[in-house]
Amino acid sequence: MPTRNQYGAGERQVHVLEILGNAIVGGMENYVRNLIQQIPPDQFRVTCLCPYESAFTAILREIGCDVFIAPMADDPPWRSIQAAVELIRHQGIDLVHAHLPNAHVLAGLAGCLTRTPVVATVHGMTITTQELGISRTTGTSLVVVCQAAYTQALAMGVPPERLTLIPNGVDTRTFVPDRSGDAFREAIGVPLDAPLVGFVGRLAPEKGPDHFVRAAERVHSRQPDVHFAVVGTGDMEDEVDALIKQLRLEDCVHLAGLWTNTWEVYPAFDILAQSSRAEGMPYVLLEAMACGCPVVAIAVGGVPEIVEVGTTGVLAGPGDWAGVGNAVLELLVRPQRLKQMGQAGRQRVEAHFDLSESVERMSELFRRLVNVEARHRTVWRSPWPAKVAAR
């Protein structure tokens, strides 16, 4: 794999346009921010196109990116297509990198009109027919973050030369095991010596915060001294709050709100419980393991590729919130095993999910697409016959 010095001193800087279909503080946005902060600045320059102004666009500007705004829809308006095309032309963009289907379709159309190579990262556990259709029609390449999505894409007919598997990575210098979680516990009112099980994520149906609360009820009914923290915000916040009250868990389940400095949150947990209905390669699990926090998770998407069962954590079946609760109960009474799992989780992240490795592979892909595909850009061959016989 090429290193920075192997590209040669005369290799010109590549200008990448990141087109984001959303601009909240979430997993996809963290992916883009990590990539921008870690990609070699002497090799790559990054500009961003987002659908609206937000706290996240302010973060992008703080880390040195030029940020432009254009509305994005699954069926993009002409003014958005025109904006993307003129941005590519006037900014001297060499490569477009898209995230989410609405950004992918805009990137694909603009790439075709300007003959600029386009790659889209699919952050979920599956390739949707929409993503597949965009790629087939406009000739974009795809990056997936988990094996489940990779094999599905091949089965759906994505050419191997247009498909790359690059798992997510975490910054192992920021997320470390030796931080104190006392400040977080004090902020939410949890005693320093009380068992604490945490959930970190967007409060949305796919993340299953309601599953976490129901698992908490199961644990609480058997071990009342355990506390639970729900870290994050989202559309389900009122629903989660109502469920906590309905189950009479107000004294032990704490809605902590949004914490952007999650490296100070994970060390407060005895266990990180992930209760998602759908996932790709979740950063929450990688970050928790990097902080030496044992995990209990539901086996969806790329989760089984992260957790080494019985060594770094425990997995329950899809939708099995009761299994999550049972696993938490079994582990909380085995502190030595929890400690061993935390250490093993850190080692696994260092060995397989370090951010520097992910960024290096993405950098190599960007360089290859610019050097090769820009000269030989083609769309997929249509599956329909060229001629239909007259009847």
Side-chain angles (χ1 to χ4, degrees), residues 10-355:
E11 194 83 53
R12 71 179 181 85
Q13 189 182 50
V14 172
H15 194 174
V16 179
L17 176 63
E18 296 282 343
I19 301 185
L20 288 73
N22 209 344
I24 61 173
V25 179
M28 179 273 286
E29 290 81 1
N30 286 338
Y31 172 101
V32 174
R33 182 182 61 185
N34 288 340
L35 178 62
I36 293 170
Q37 289 179 312
Q38 296 289 331
I39 201 164
D42 58 334
Q43 293 182 38
F44 297 93
R45 175 187 170 196
V46 180
T47 295
C48 292
L49 180 63
C50 297
Y52 49 80
E53 292 286 357
S54 67
F56 181 71
T57 58
I59 291 173
L60 291 175
R61 291 189 177 98
E62 286 175 6
I63 62 177
C65 276
D66 290 331
V67 179
F68 295 84
I69 305 297
M72 293 184 205
D74 289 345
D75 186 9
W78 168 248
R79 66 191 180 105
S80 295
I81 299 172
Q82 187 176 50
V85 166
E86 294 309 315
L87 184 58
I88 291 170
R89 288 174 174 166
H90 288 282
Q91 292 290 318
I93 300 296
D94 300 298
L95 175 88
V96 181
H97 185 200
H99 310 267
L100 302 184
N102 56 338
H104 188 184
V105 67
L106 179 61
L109 291 171
C112 282
L113 291 170
T114 59
R115 297 190 63 82
T116 304
V118 176
V119 59
T121 293
V122 179
H123 295 273
M125 59 188 279
T126 59
I127 304 293
T128 66
T129 54
Q130 183 182 12
E131 297 268 20
L132 181 67
I134 297 167
S135 187
R136 290 186 70 100
T137 301
T138 63
T140 62
S141 297
L142 296 177
V143 171
V144 292
V145 298
C146 63
Q147 293 177 15
Y150 184 80
T151 55
Q152 185 215 9
L154 291 175
M156 294 176 76
V158 178
E161 64 273 16
R162 290 196 178 275
L163 181 65
T164 306
L165 169 61
I166 303 178
N168 289 340
V170 64
D171 186 349
T172 54
R173 297 169 299 180
T174 300
F175 293 90
V176 295
D178 55 358
R179 293 184 187 273
S180 170
D182 291 355
F184 175 77
R185 283 176 173 254
E186 291 171 355
I188 65 172
V190 173
L192 299 183
D193 59 348
L196 179 60
V197 180
F199 168 98
V200 177
R202 202 160 21 90
L203 303 189
E206 63 271 20
K207 299 298 182 181
D210 53 326
H211 281 173
F212 176 80
V213 174
R214 294 194 179 279
E217 180 195 25
R218 190 174 187 86
V219 175
H220 179 70
S221 66
R222 293 161 175 78
Q223 196 169 335
D225 63 324
V226 180
H227 286 253
F228 306 86
V230 178
V231 181
T233 59
D235 294 340
M236 286 185 69
E237 190 164 350
D238 291 341
E239 180 181 338
V240 171
D241 187 35
L243 181 60
I244 292 170
K245 293 174 180 175
Q246 175 189 331
L247 299 176
R248 299 180 179 179
L249 298 173
E250 300 99 313
D251 292 338
C252 65
V253 179
H254 310 271
L255 290 175
L258 180 65
W259 286 63
T260 55
N261 52 336
T262 50
W263 52 86
E264 296 180 356
V265 173
Y266 297 114
F269 299 155
D270 294 280
I271 297 173
L272 182 285
Q274 178 262 1
S275 51
S276 296
R277 293 178 170 88
E279 280 292 358
M281 181 67 65
Y283 278 106
V284 168
L285 291 183
L286 296 174
E287 292 170 353
M289 289 166 58
C291 290
C293 181
V295 299
V296 173
I298 288 181
V300 292
V303 172
E305 300 168 36
I306 296 175
V307 180
E308 188 173 333
V309 176
T311 302
T312 67
V314 178
L315 295 181
D320 187 10
W321 55 263
V324 171
N326 291 338
V328 167
L329 284 167
E330 292 176 8
L331 290 175
L332 284 176
V333 297
R334 304 176 65 182
Q336 186 59 34
R337 189 180 183 204
L338 280 178
K339 181 178 179 180
Q340 292 170 348
M341 282 185 167
Q343 293 171 343
R346 171 68 186 187
Q347 293 169 0
R348 181 163 174 77
V349 169
E350 288 178 332
H352 302 287
F353 300 104
D354 190 277
L355 178 61

